[in-house]
Amino acid sequence: MSGLDDVGARDGWRCWICDEPVDPDKSVNDARGPSIDSYFTASKSAKGKSTKGGSGAERLAHRACNTKKGATTPVIRWPDRLFVSDPAVLLTTVERLERKGGREVVGRCPSAADGKQASDWLVDRLTRLAPTLPVTASVEAGGGQHLLVLTVKRR
């Protein structure tokens, strides 16, 4: 297992759930303090899921975010500044891409510029959300709109 400082440094001291900064100097007992969250729950581990080489098995979260997710499924929010119609549920999308690979449309944008801004955010966000998932984002024009597409890179 990695230490809190190692996981925090790797994750850039950002909470994987809310994507807000985590103060490494706050007490681990403080609601906004740092905590380590296991990437896989015990039930998923029992089904044979594991990370390759053990990297990425732990993620940084605020204590409150980590505690709250035990009672409810966390929601990874798309920022209000992005103009994306029909945005996909990111945790479900990531889990599906980890299992099956391939590509998936995750939203629609009215312009190529909006699509580019959303794809840049998405790639940055997914590097923290699923650091071992080799994913790229692209914007594809079609039907008067621009589709935001995630593709798992072949290894």
Side-chain angles (χ1 to χ4, degrees):
M1 289 189 96
S2 299
L4 181 60
D5 289 335
D6 294 336
V7 173
R10 184 199 65 216
D11 292 352
W13 292 101
R14 294 191 77 79
C15 176
W16 80 268
I17 297 170
C18 70
D19 203 32
E20 294 293 322
V22 176
D23 184 349
D25 297 323
K26 280 215 184 253
S27 167
V28 295
N29 296 318
D30 187 286
R32 299 293 290 171
S35 71
I36 294 177
D37 177 42
S38 177
Y39 186 73
F40 295 108
T41 62
S43 63
K44 284 186 180 179
S45 294
K47 294 177 186 174
K49 303 247 184 201
S50 65
T51 57
K52 293 185 170 111
S55 65
E58 300 166 330
R59 299 179 287 193
L60 184 70
H62 291 110
R63 170 73 51 204
C65 292
N66 199 356
T67 301
K68 185 170 71 172
K69 95 171 177 52
T72 61
T73 302
V75 175
I76 307 303
R77 301 203 184 283
W78 290 73
D80 291 337
R81 64 181 165 77
L82 298 177
F83 195 19
V84 179
S85 299
D86 302 325
V89 177
L90 291 179
L91 279 179
T92 305
T93 299
V94 166
E95 288 173 358
R96 193 169 31 251
L97 287 172
E98 286 177 328
R99 255 189 352 265
K100 297 181 177 183
R103 65 192 297 262
E104 189 163 329
V105 175
V106 294
R108 298 178 293 124
C109 299
S111 71
D114 290 325
K116 172 73 170 118
Q117 186 179 16
S119 70
D120 289 346
W121 172 82
L122 194 55
V123 168
D124 178 61
R125 185 66 174 100
L126 291 181
T127 61
R128 290 187 302 284
L129 181 61
T132 61
L133 184 65
V135 68
T136 59
S138 60
V139 180
E140 299 178 8
Q145 58 190 348
H146 296 80
L147 301 177
L148 190 54
V149 180
L150 287 178
T151 305
V152 175
K153 299 178 210 172
R154 293 186 180 180
R155 294 176 194 226

